[in-house]
Amino acid sequence: MAEVKSMFREVLPKQGQLSVEDITTMVLCKPKLLPLKSLTLEKLEKMQQAAQDTIRQQEVTEKEQQQITQ
Amino acid sequence: MGSEMEPLLLAWSYFRRRKFQLCTDLCTQMLEKSPYDQEPDPELPVSQAAWILKARALTEMVYIDEIDVHQEGIAEMVLDENAIAQVPRPGTSLKLPGTNQTGGPSPAVRPITQAGRPITGFLRPSTQSGRPGTMEQAIRTPRTAYTARPITSSSGRFVRLGTASMLTSPDGPFINLSRLNLAKYAQKPKLAKALFEYIFHHENDVKTALDLAALSTEHSQYKDWWWKVQIGKCYYRLGMYREAEKQFKSALKQQEMVDTFLYLAKVYISLDQPVTALNLFKQGLDKFPGEVTLLCGIARIYEEMNNIPSATEYYKEVLKQDNTHVEAIACIGSNHFYSDQPEVALRFYRRLLQMGVYNCQLFNNLGLCCFYAQQYDMTLTSFERALSLAENEEEVADVWYNLGHVAVGIGDTNLAHQCFRLALVNNNHHAEAYNNLAVLEMRKGHVDQARALLQTASSLAPHMYEPHFNFATISDKIGDLQRSYVAAQKSEAAFPDHVDTQHLIKQLKRHFAML
């Protein structure tokens, strides 16, 4: 094993200049953790959904009744 | 058995078991038998009891904690008369979050909301509004990270709930408010309190509620702190913050309650005086040491002021008192994730899962944490679960967007491409997905498509620096220096400390000087 280790040794130049070309790369937007919802918010959304559903149902039944009378 | 039971007792039992619909139905039947309409009659105690019970059950059905309610319509945001200074000093206002002076995360790591704050780990009604700086911004309201919703729903939310409740009862509303003799009810404190809550929460008629509260507090000779708090609540809803402040302070003098502290702090937050609110919370903590809601209030203010270290400190304090506090766990978890410790964040989110939180958001976060903590076996299953639990298309879009990142991470560009496309199919306004798609198109060498995507992204979310910067880079490459400069300036406005943007601008300025 010791022989294998000695085979690979890193090369670190001790003298001379190091130059790196700085290329501007494009940026990705970051991954987004989704925020959890508070209970109040969930209840509000549920109530809002229910309210909208009832209104929609009401409208549908009204339309049907109008069609019947016509 | 049920039919033999005393109906009032049964109704009470329904109420206690939170079966409010059944309770109201039963009360309605009882009231039909012995009508007790608008006039309280002392000779009919049973129907009076049924009447109160029905009012309370109806209230409970639509009850939401008033402390959490924070409605800010477009008028309040743009035409704010309560602002003390147009240009407040840094660190004293919620509208001008200090950028990075307090060690907040940079937008290069943590995505920001439209208002320029880092996205939070927990969503409450008040975190949704996000005050836009200008009218133009307010009207456009890009919905990124769910921080800004269309204006109509924020102002119309409470009104609509009221109308819906009226529609469901075919004989009109339970109590006809305009025919109510408020002075008479104010004489009866117990009745008046139930009636007030009904008017305030169920009917949302703040003005009538205020009248009743004013009469009642007069009747109690200004000695009942409860009525003062209610008047304060009404004033707050009507946007009369200074009057509300007076009422709450007076109530606190009589009787110190946690709720009153919270309401008063809410007034200060609406007046954009976070430092006063912080002091108030600390006063409250002197009286009620270790009170979780107060600690949590402090943490929220620090978070909104972009002072993440202090916010985390207080969230940790909250967890010491209550180790099942979802908000604190979620916020600390997201802070760890965005400060490069996904494995610690994973522990917090796993804790939430153990506590029984089971929704799309949590599994999405678990998936992301697993991926970045190199636990690849769990990643895709978590995301699959998140997709199956998603309730609406916006959530689906966000999960696909994050899956796109996983695909980018493993170098599968085709999969990433498809993921971002799917995000856009589900939510056409997903600016981040547009931006990332543009980056992928650019790698393939499709310059025109990338430019078009970036333009869409930057018009959807002008607060993000990425699309502006990318657009500037592309324009610079193809030699359109003027456009590049304009975009770079926008990018600098969104994220002043971004080094690459500063380089680009310097470079462009040199070019222009040579011409």
Side-chain angles (χ1 to χ4, degrees):
Chain A
M1 281 300 281
E3 279 174 30
V4 179
K5 258 186 192 168
S6 64
M7 275 171 65
F8 295 102
R9 289 177 64 186
E10 73 274 22
V11 181
L12 289 174
K14 297 269 164 40
Q15 47 189 334
Q17 281 185 330
L18 181 71
S19 61
V20 179
E21 194 188 356
D22 195 15
I23 313 163
T24 46
T25 44
M26 292 175 72
V27 206
L28 284 173
C29 282
K30 307 300 164 295
K32 211 161 67 174
L33 283 184
L34 298 182
L36 300 173
K37 283 180 189 170
S38 74
L39 274 182
T40 314
L41 192 61
E42 265 177 27
K43 188 170 177 186
L44 257 178
E45 283 181 358
K46 221 178 270 172
M47 280 183 350
Q48 214 171 358
Q49 192 62 44
Q52 265 169 356
D53 287 348
T54 44
I55 290 173
R56 210 166 291 150
Q57 245 173 10
Q58 204 96 0
E59 279 172 359
V60 169
T61 46
E62 263 174 38
K63 256 185 203 167
E64 277 172 5
Q65 274 176 349
Q66 273 180 0
Q67 279 175 349
I68 291 167
T69 48
Q70 277 169 6
Chain B
M1 280 298 286
S3 58
E4 288 163 25
M5 216 162 139
E6 222 288 305
L8 187 63
L9 185 69
L10 187 61
W12 258 108
S13 165
Y14 280 140
F15 182 77
R16 277 211 313 275
R17 286 181 283 153
R18 301 189 67 80
K19 295 181 177 173
F20 299 120
Q21 193 56 55
L22 289 171
C23 175
T24 34
D25 291 347
L26 198 61
C27 288
T28 316
Q29 281 174 23
M30 286 167 63
L31 288 174
E32 269 167 10
K33 267 182 227 155
S34 52
Y36 167 83
D37 214 300
Q38 299 291 324
E39 289 293 303
D41 190 345
E43 285 160 28
L44 282 167
V46 175
S47 57
Q48 186 175 338
W51 188 80
I52 296 185
L53 192 59
K54 186 175 174 186
R56 283 185 60 192
L58 285 173
T59 311
E60 281 292 329
M61 269 195 232
V62 293
Y63 181 82
I64 24 171
D65 196 348
E66 181 66 14
I67 293 166
D68 272 352
V69 175
H70 179 91
Q71 50 171 358
E72 203 169 47
I74 188 166
E76 286 87 40
M77 291 185 207
V78 181
L79 310 168
D80 189 0
E81 308 173 325
N82 300 300
I84 292 174
Q86 279 297 314
V87 186
R89 277 172 293 139
T92 60
S93 168
L94 295 170
K95 290 185 185 170
L96 189 96
T99 43
N100 265 340
Q101 298 150 339
T102 46
S106 94
V109 182
R110 188 168 180 162
I112 55 166
T113 67
Q114 185 204 359
R117 290 197 186 89
I119 60 165
T120 170
F122 195 72
L123 213 54
R124 289 168 288 120
S126 59
T127 41
Q128 275 193 321
S129 56
R131 308 171 191 220
T134 61
M135 190 72 174
E136 190 193 1
Q137 245 181 316
I139 291 170
R140 283 161 86 192
T141 51
R143 281 171 293 168
T144 44
Y146 302 148
T147 44
R149 55 204 141 86
I151 319 120
T152 46
S153 71
S154 95
S155 47
R157 181 173 255 173
F158 292 96
V159 183
R160 270 220 301 276
L161 287 177
T163 45
S165 67
M166 251 161 61
L167 276 179
T168 46
S169 51
D171 326 323
F174 164 49
I175 299 172
N176 193 343
L177 290 185
S178 54
R179 279 173 53 204
L180 222 53
N181 185 358
L182 292 176
K184 214 166 177 178
Y185 284 94
Q187 312 281 323
K188 300 178 175 134
K190 282 166 196 155
L191 243 170
K193 283 182 181 175
L195 183 63
F196 173 84
E197 298 222 300
Y198 174 81
I199 300 174
F200 189 80
H201 290 288
H202 189 268
E203 297 290 318
N204 270 308
D205 188 343
V206 182
K207 209 178 147 291
T208 315
L210 181 62
D211 287 343
L212 179 63
L215 287 169
S216 302
T217 190
E218 216 175 288
H219 180 255
S220 67
Q221 295 170 335
Y222 306 98
K223 277 178 189 153
D224 193 347
W225 62 271
W226 193 87
W227 282 115
K228 290 184 181 171
V229 174
Q230 306 313 311
I231 295 177
K233 271 157 74 172
C234 293
Y235 278 139
Y236 181 85
R237 276 265 183 108
L238 294 170
M240 298 156 78
Y241 299 126
R242 288 294 175 196
E243 283 80 1
E245 182 194 358
K246 266 181 220 157
Q247 295 294 333
F248 289 135
K249 274 189 171 166
S250 161
L252 272 180
K253 258 181 213 159
Q254 273 176 0
Q255 173 85 36
E256 275 166 341
M257 297 294 281
V258 179
D259 272 13
T260 320
F261 277 114
L262 293 173
Y263 284 125
L264 188 53
K266 212 172 95 171
V267 172
Y268 287 131
I269 292 168
S270 299
L271 288 171
D272 194 20
Q273 296 182 13
V275 181
T276 320
L278 281 177
N279 289 336
L280 182 78
F281 276 131
K282 281 169 189 168
Q283 269 177 41
L285 278 177
D286 288 340
K287 310 281 179 206
F288 303 95
E291 171 61 40
V292 171
T293 43
L294 296 174
L295 287 170
C296 196
I298 298 181
R300 284 174 188 171
I301 293 179
Y302 276 131
E303 192 179 36
E304 286 205 26
M305 284 164 73
N306 217 348
N307 188 347
I308 302 294
S310 304
T312 315
E313 206 175 293
Y314 274 96
Y315 277 128
K316 282 185 180 159
E317 206 62 38
V318 170
L319 283 187
K320 273 181 202 160
Q321 306 292 337
D322 173 10
N323 55 15
T324 56
H325 201 271
V326 178
E327 178 174 357
I329 299 178
C331 285
I332 297 178
S334 62
N335 284 338
H336 279 301
F337 182 81
Y338 285 118
S339 50
D340 231 3
Q341 295 170 310
E343 63 286 340
V344 186
L346 183 59
R347 288 170 57 119
F348 281 94
Y349 284 117
R350 250 178 49 197
R351 164 90 182 145
L352 283 179
L353 190 66
Q354 281 168 353
M355 277 165 46
V357 181
Y358 192 82
N359 54 24
C360 163
Q361 285 88 3
L362 182 64
F363 275 104
N364 170 70
N365 297 354
L366 275 173
L368 272 183
C369 289
C370 281
F371 181 70
Y372 287 99
Q374 304 185 8
Q375 308 212 356
Y376 301 120
D377 50 341
M378 280 285 289
T379 308
L380 290 181
T381 38
S382 296
F383 278 119
E384 270 171 8
R385 194 67 64 84
L387 280 176
S388 68
L389 286 172
E391 277 168 0
N392 52 41
E393 290 189 336
E394 275 91 10
E395 289 178 3
V396 177
D398 279 332
V399 178
W400 278 118
Y401 167 75
N402 287 324
L403 261 170
H405 274 281
V406 173
V408 169
I410 58 174
D412 192 342
T413 333
N414 281 331
L415 179 62
H417 203 273
Q418 284 166 341
C419 286
F420 291 134
R421 278 258 168 243
L422 275 170
L424 288 180
V425 167
N426 282 295
N427 179 5
N428 210 8
H429 296 278
H430 207 292
E432 290 100 330
Y434 276 115
N435 176 65
N436 290 2
L437 208 54
V439 177
L440 293 180
E441 289 289 352
M442 200 53 201
R443 280 190 196 165
K444 286 185 186 167
H446 301 159
V447 182
D448 285 338
Q449 283 181 24
R451 273 169 62 106
L453 287 168
L454 285 173
Q455 266 170 335
T456 322
S458 54
S459 68
L460 280 173
H463 62 281
M464 293 193 319
Y465 80 96
E466 290 97 340
H468 297 308
F469 174 72
N470 289 339
F471 191 73
T473 318
I474 293 188
S475 303
D476 182 46
K477 265 184 196 155
I478 60 171
D480 193 345
L481 298 188
Q482 186 58 41
R483 283 211 183 121
S484 172
Y485 185 68
V486 173
Q489 296 243 291
K490 282 183 193 160
S491 165
E492 196 191 20
F495 182 15
D497 296 334
H498 192 228
V499 180
D500 282 352
T501 306
Q502 287 166 354
H503 270 301
L504 188 61
I505 289 181
K506 214 188 276 172
Q507 214 179 340
L508 286 168
K509 276 187 178 159
R510 219 180 297 140
H511 277 307
F512 289 140
M514 268 159 59
L515 294 173

mmCIF file of all heavy atoms in Angstrom, chain B residues 392-421:
data_model
loop_
_atom_site.group_PDB
_atom_site.id
_atom_site.type_symbol
_atom_site.label_atom_id
_atom_site.label_comp_id
_atom_site.label_asym_id
_atom_site.label_seq_id
_atom_site.Cartn_x
_atom_site.Cartn_y
_atom_site.Cartn_z
ATOM 1 N N ASN B 392 -52.578 22.205 -5.405
ATOM 2 C CA ASN B 392 -52.899 23.028 -6.566
ATOM 3 C C ASN B 392 -51.715 23.092 -7.515
ATOM 4 O O ASN B 392 -50.640 22.577 -7.227
ATOM 5 C CB ASN B 392 -53.329 24.431 -6.131
ATOM 6 C CG ASN B 392 -52.318 25.063 -5.206
ATOM 7 O OD1 ASN B 392 -51.118 24.940 -5.429
ATOM 8 N ND2 ASN B 392 -52.783 25.703 -4.157
ATOM 9 N N GLU B 393 -51.947 23.723 -8.645
ATOM 10 C CA GLU B 393 -50.931 23.685 -9.696
ATOM 11 C C GLU B 393 -49.677 24.454 -9.315
ATOM 12 O O GLU B 393 -48.589 24.100 -9.750
ATOM 13 C CB GLU B 393 -51.524 24.254 -10.983
ATOM 14 C CG GLU B 393 -52.569 23.333 -11.569
ATOM 15 C CD GLU B 393 -52.997 23.777 -12.942
ATOM 16 O OE1 GLU B 393 -52.859 24.974 -13.231
ATOM 17 O OE2 GLU B 393 -53.480 22.928 -13.702
ATOM 18 N N GLU B 394 -49.826 25.495 -8.479
ATOM 19 C CA GLU B 394 -48.649 26.254 -8.084
ATOM 20 C C GLU B 394 -47.686 25.364 -7.293
ATOM 21 O O GLU B 394 -46.471 25.444 -7.456
ATOM 22 C CB GLU B 394 -49.037 27.473 -7.236
ATOM 23 C CG GLU B 394 -49.406 28.693 -8.045
ATOM 24 C CD GLU B 394 -50.878 28.752 -8.348
ATOM 25 O OE1 GLU B 394 -51.615 27.933 -7.764
ATOM 26 O OE2 GLU B 394 -51.285 29.583 -9.173
ATOM 27 N N GLU B 395 -48.279 24.545 -6.416
ATOM 28 C CA GLU B 395 -47.427 23.660 -5.624
ATOM 29 C C GLU B 395 -46.724 22.652 -6.524
ATOM 30 O O GLU B 395 -45.530 22.396 -6.376
ATOM 31 C CB GLU B 395 -48.258 22.939 -4.562
ATOM 32 C CG GLU B 395 -48.706 23.855 -3.452
ATOM 33 C CD GLU B 395 -49.578 23.157 -2.428
ATOM 34 O OE1 GLU B 395 -49.803 21.931 -2.544
ATOM 35 O OE2 GLU B 395 -50.029 23.849 -1.508
ATOM 36 N N VAL B 396 -47.474 22.086 -7.470
ATOM 37 C CA VAL B 396 -46.876 21.127 -8.400
ATOM 38 C C VAL B 396 -45.714 21.783 -9.132
ATOM 39 O O VAL B 396 -44.630 21.209 -9.273
ATOM 40 C CB VAL B 396 -47.930 20.632 -9.413
ATOM 41 C CG1 VAL B 396 -47.300 19.693 -10.421
ATOM 42 C CG2 VAL B 396 -49.068 19.940 -8.703
ATOM 43 N N ALA B 397 -45.942 23.025 -9.569
ATOM 44 C CA ALA B 397 -44.899 23.738 -10.310
ATOM 45 C C ALA B 397 -43.643 23.886 -9.465
ATOM 46 O O ALA B 397 -42.530 23.664 -9.948
ATOM 47 C CB ALA B 397 -45.414 25.107 -10.729
ATOM 48 N N ASP B 398 -43.816 24.239 -8.194
ATOM 49 C CA ASP B 398 -42.646 24.425 -7.338
ATOM 50 C C ASP B 398 -41.888 23.122 -7.136
ATOM 51 O O ASP B 398 -40.654 23.116 -7.096
ATOM 52 C CB ASP B 398 -43.065 25.014 -5.988
ATOM 53 C CG ASP B 398 -43.246 26.512 -6.081
ATOM 54 O OD1 ASP B 398 -42.583 27.115 -6.927
ATOM 55 O OD2 ASP B 398 -44.053 27.073 -5.319
ATOM 56 N N VAL B 399 -42.636 22.016 -6.994
ATOM 57 C CA VAL B 399 -41.950 20.729 -6.810
ATOM 58 C C VAL B 399 -41.157 20.376 -8.068
ATOM 59 O O VAL B 399 -39.991 19.970 -7.985
ATOM 60 C CB VAL B 399 -42.960 19.614 -6.474
ATOM 61 C CG1 VAL B 399 -42.237 18.301 -6.328
ATOM 62 C CG2 VAL B 399 -43.694 19.935 -5.188
ATOM 63 N N TRP B 400 -41.766 20.573 -9.232
ATOM 64 C CA TRP B 400 -41.032 20.274 -10.474
ATOM 65 C C TRP B 400 -39.815 21.172 -10.618
ATOM 66 O O TRP B 400 -38.760 20.749 -11.092
ATOM 67 C CB TRP B 400 -41.941 20.444 -11.700
ATOM 68 C CG TRP B 400 -42.811 19.259 -11.954
ATOM 69 C CD1 TRP B 400 -44.168 19.217 -11.944
ATOM 70 C CD2 TRP B 400 -42.382 17.919 -12.276
ATOM 71 N NE1 TRP B 400 -44.620 17.947 -12.205
ATOM 72 C CE2 TRP B 400 -43.543 17.127 -12.417
ATOM 73 C CE3 TRP B 400 -41.140 17.316 -12.428
ATOM 74 C CZ2 TRP B 400 -43.492 15.772 -12.717
ATOM 75 C CZ3 TRP B 400 -41.084 15.970 -12.725
ATOM 76 C CH2 TRP B 400 -42.248 15.208 -12.871
ATOM 77 N N TYR B 401 -39.969 22.408 -10.190
ATOM 78 C CA TYR B 401 -38.848 23.342 -10.263
ATOM 79 C C TYR B 401 -37.677 22.833 -9.437
ATOM 80 O O TYR B 401 -36.522 22.808 -9.892
ATOM 81 C CB TYR B 401 -39.313 24.718 -9.772
ATOM 82 C CG TYR B 401 -38.201 25.684 -9.513
ATOM 83 C CD1 TYR B 401 -37.541 26.299 -10.564
ATOM 84 C CD2 TYR B 401 -37.809 25.977 -8.221
ATOM 85 C CE1 TYR B 401 -36.511 27.174 -10.331
ATOM 86 C CE2 TYR B 401 -36.775 26.848 -7.976
ATOM 87 C CZ TYR B 401 -36.131 27.448 -9.027
ATOM 88 O OH TYR B 401 -35.105 28.315 -8.792
ATOM 89 N N ASN B 402 -37.990 22.373 -8.209
ATOM 90 C CA ASN B 402 -36.924 21.864 -7.358
ATOM 91 C C ASN B 402 -36.340 20.565 -7.900
ATOM 92 O O ASN B 402 -35.143 20.324 -7.781
ATOM 93 C CB ASN B 402 -37.438 21.674 -5.930
ATOM 94 C CG ASN B 402 -37.631 23.005 -5.238
ATOM 95 O OD1 ASN B 402 -36.862 23.921 -5.450
ATOM 96 N ND2 ASN B 402 -38.671 23.121 -4.432
ATOM 97 N N LEU B 403 -37.212 19.743 -8.495
ATOM 98 C CA LEU B 403 -36.709 18.512 -9.123
ATOM 99 C C LEU B 403 -35.736 18.860 -10.244
ATOM 100 O O LEU B 403 -34.755 18.141 -10.472
ATOM 101 C CB LEU B 403 -37.881 17.718 -9.683
ATOM 102 C CG LEU B 403 -38.370 16.572 -8.817
ATOM 103 C CD1 LEU B 403 -39.665 16.027 -9.357
ATOM 104 C CD2 LEU B 403 -37.327 15.465 -8.770
ATOM 105 N N GLY B 404 -36.025 19.948 -10.923
ATOM 106 C CA GLY B 404 -35.117 20.416 -11.965
ATOM 107 C C GLY B 404 -33.730 20.661 -11.407
ATOM 108 O O GLY B 404 -32.732 20.338 -12.044
ATOM 109 N N HIS B 405 -33.658 21.199 -10.194
ATOM 110 C CA HIS B 405 -32.364 21.430 -9.572
ATOM 111 C C HIS B 405 -31.642 20.132 -9.298
ATOM 112 O O HIS B 405 -30.418 20.047 -9.461
ATOM 113 C CB HIS B 405 -32.538 22.192 -8.264
ATOM 114 C CG HIS B 405 -32.572 23.652 -8.476
ATOM 115 N ND1 HIS B 405 -31.441 24.379 -8.669
ATOM 116 C CD2 HIS B 405 -33.599 24.499 -8.578
ATOM 117 C CE1 HIS B 405 -31.784 25.633 -8.871
ATOM 118 N NE2 HIS B 405 -33.083 25.726 -8.827
ATOM 119 N N VAL B 406 -32.415 19.125 -8.858
ATOM 120 C CA VAL B 406 -31.801 17.822 -8.618
ATOM 121 C C VAL B 406 -31.214 17.303 -9.927
ATOM 122 O O VAL B 406 -30.074 16.820 -9.973
ATOM 123 C CB VAL B 406 -32.842 16.835 -8.057
ATOM 124 C CG1 VAL B 406 -32.262 15.444 -7.972
ATOM 125 C CG2 VAL B 406 -33.307 17.295 -6.688
ATOM 126 N N ALA B 407 -31.977 17.463 -11.013
ATOM 127 C CA ALA B 407 -31.504 16.999 -12.315
ATOM 128 C C ALA B 407 -30.243 17.747 -12.737
ATOM 129 O O ALA B 407 -29.302 17.144 -13.246
ATOM 130 C CB ALA B 407 -32.605 17.172 -13.356
ATOM 131 N N VAL B 408 -30.224 19.053 -12.507
ATOM 132 C CA VAL B 408 -29.017 19.828 -12.822
ATOM 133 C C VAL B 408 -27.855 19.309 -11.989
ATOM 134 O O VAL B 408 -26.733 19.150 -12.473
ATOM 135 C CB VAL B 408 -29.255 21.333 -12.542
ATOM 136 C CG1 VAL B 408 -27.940 22.096 -12.597
ATOM 137 C CG2 VAL B 408 -30.214 21.907 -13.549
ATOM 138 N N GLY B 409 -28.147 18.999 -10.726
ATOM 139 C CA GLY B 409 -27.099 18.529 -9.818
ATOM 140 C C GLY B 409 -26.476 17.229 -10.268
ATOM 141 O O GLY B 409 -25.270 17.045 -10.131
ATOM 142 N N ILE B 410 -27.289 16.308 -10.836
ATOM 143 C CA ILE B 410 -26.700 15.042 -11.278
ATOM 144 C C ILE B 410 -26.261 15.132 -12.730
ATOM 145 O O ILE B 410 -25.809 14.156 -13.299
ATOM 146 C CB ILE B 410 -27.679 13.859 -11.089
ATOM 147 C CG1 ILE B 410 -28.985 14.101 -11.838
ATOM 148 C CG2 ILE B 410 -27.950 13.605 -9.640
ATOM 149 C CD1 ILE B 410 -29.917 12.903 -11.811
ATOM 150 N N GLY B 411 -26.405 16.308 -13.319
ATOM 151 C CA GLY B 411 -25.877 16.521 -14.661
ATOM 152 C C GLY B 411 -26.768 16.014 -15.780
ATOM 153 O O GLY B 411 -26.333 15.916 -16.918
ATOM 154 N N ASP B 412 -28.005 15.703 -15.469
ATOM 155 C CA ASP B 412 -28.920 15.217 -16.502
ATOM 156 C C ASP B 412 -29.661 16.408 -17.103
ATOM 157 O O ASP B 412 -30.753 16.773 -16.663
ATOM 158 C CB ASP B 412 -29.894 14.218 -15.873
ATOM 159 C CG ASP B 412 -30.685 13.464 -16.924
ATOM 160 O OD1 ASP B 412 -30.732 13.946 -18.077
ATOM 161 O OD2 ASP B 412 -31.240 12.409 -16.593
ATOM 162 N N THR B 413 -29.065 17.024 -18.099
ATOM 163 C CA THR B 413 -29.628 18.268 -18.620
ATOM 164 C C THR B 413 -31.000 18.054 -19.252
ATOM 165 O O THR B 413 -31.868 18.929 -19.160
ATOM 166 C CB THR B 413 -28.693 18.867 -19.681
ATOM 167 O OG1 THR B 413 -27.381 18.442 -19.409
ATOM 168 C CG2 THR B 413 -28.776 20.359 -19.666
ATOM 169 N N ASN B 414 -31.163 16.908 -19.906
ATOM 170 C CA ASN B 414 -32.464 16.679 -20.550
ATOM 171 C C ASN B 414 -33.577 16.608 -19.524
ATOM 172 O O ASN B 414 -34.639 17.205 -19.693
ATOM 173 C CB ASN B 414 -32.430 15.383 -21.352
ATOM 174 C CG ASN B 414 -31.731 15.586 -22.667
ATOM 175 O OD1 ASN B 414 -31.755 16.695 -23.218
ATOM 176 N ND2 ASN B 414 -31.085 14.544 -23.156
ATOM 177 N N LEU B 415 -33.306 15.867 -18.450
ATOM 178 C CA LEU B 415 -34.318 15.767 -17.388
ATOM 179 C C LEU B 415 -34.590 17.145 -16.795
ATOM 180 O O LEU B 415 -35.751 17.522 -16.567
ATOM 181 C CB LEU B 415 -33.831 14.807 -16.302
ATOM 182 C CG LEU B 415 -34.778 14.624 -15.117
ATOM 183 C CD1 LEU B 415 -36.093 14.034 -15.591
ATOM 184 C CD2 LEU B 415 -34.168 13.745 -14.060
ATOM 185 N N ALA B 416 -33.520 17.904 -16.571
ATOM 186 C CA ALA B 416 -33.682 19.245 -15.994
ATOM 187 C C ALA B 416 -34.574 20.096 -16.892
ATOM 188 O O ALA B 416 -35.495 20.781 -16.431
ATOM 189 C CB ALA B 416 -32.328 19.913 -15.819
ATOM 190 N N HIS B 417 -34.284 20.004 -18.197
ATOM 191 C CA HIS B 417 -35.063 20.747 -19.184
ATOM 192 C C HIS B 417 -36.537 20.399 -19.055
ATOM 193 O O HIS B 417 -37.417 21.266 -18.975
ATOM 194 C CB HIS B 417 -34.532 20.380 -20.562
ATOM 195 C CG HIS B 417 -34.809 21.406 -21.591
ATOM 196 N ND1 HIS B 417 -35.969 21.418 -22.308
ATOM 197 C CD2 HIS B 417 -34.086 22.472 -22.010
ATOM 198 C CE1 HIS B 417 -35.939 22.437 -23.136
ATOM 199 N NE2 HIS B 417 -34.809 23.107 -22.979
ATOM 200 N N GLN B 418 -36.803 19.100 -18.975
ATOM 201 C CA GLN B 418 -38.199 18.658 -18.882
ATOM 202 C C GLN B 418 -38.837 19.118 -17.578
ATOM 203 O O GLN B 418 -40.004 19.521 -17.556
ATOM 204 C CB GLN B 418 -38.261 17.136 -18.989
ATOM 205 C CG GLN B 418 -38.070 16.656 -20.408
ATOM 206 C CD GLN B 418 -37.788 15.179 -20.470
ATOM 207 O OE1 GLN B 418 -37.390 14.573 -19.476
ATOM 208 N NE2 GLN B 418 -37.989 14.597 -21.629
ATOM 209 N N CYS B 419 -38.069 19.055 -16.486
ATOM 210 C CA CYS B 419 -38.619 19.468 -15.185
ATOM 211 C C CYS B 419 -39.020 20.943 -15.210
ATOM 212 O O CYS B 419 -40.121 21.310 -14.783
ATOM 213 C CB CYS B 419 -37.598 19.250 -14.087
ATOM 214 S SG CYS B 419 -37.370 17.547 -13.659
ATOM 215 N N PHE B 420 -38.125 21.789 -15.711
ATOM 216 C CA PHE B 420 -38.449 23.221 -15.734
ATOM 217 C C PHE B 420 -39.624 23.494 -16.664
ATOM 218 O O PHE B 420 -40.474 24.346 -16.392
ATOM 219 C CB PHE B 420 -37.227 24.040 -16.140
ATOM 220 C CG PHE B 420 -36.142 24.024 -15.095
ATOM 221 C CD1 PHE B 420 -34.824 23.799 -15.439
ATOM 222 C CD2 PHE B 420 -36.447 24.234 -13.765
ATOM 223 C CE1 PHE B 420 -33.829 23.781 -14.477
ATOM 224 C CE2 PHE B 420 -35.467 24.217 -12.794
ATOM 225 C CZ PHE B 420 -34.151 23.986 -13.154
ATOM 226 N N ARG B 421 -39.682 22.747 -17.765
ATOM 227 C CA ARG B 421 -40.833 22.890 -18.672
ATOM 228 C C ARG B 421 -42.128 22.545 -17.940
ATOM 229 O O ARG B 421 -43.128 23.238 -18.059
ATOM 230 C CB ARG B 421 -40.674 21.963 -19.877
ATOM 231 C CG ARG B 421 -39.800 22.516 -20.945
ATOM 232 C CD ARG B 421 -40.653 23.059 -22.091
ATOM 233 N NE ARG B 421 -39.811 23.841 -22.992
ATOM 234 C CZ ARG B 421 -39.960 25.131 -23.226
ATOM 235 N NH1 ARG B 421 -40.924 25.811 -22.675
ATOM 236 N NH2 ARG B 421 -39.143 25.764 -24.034
#
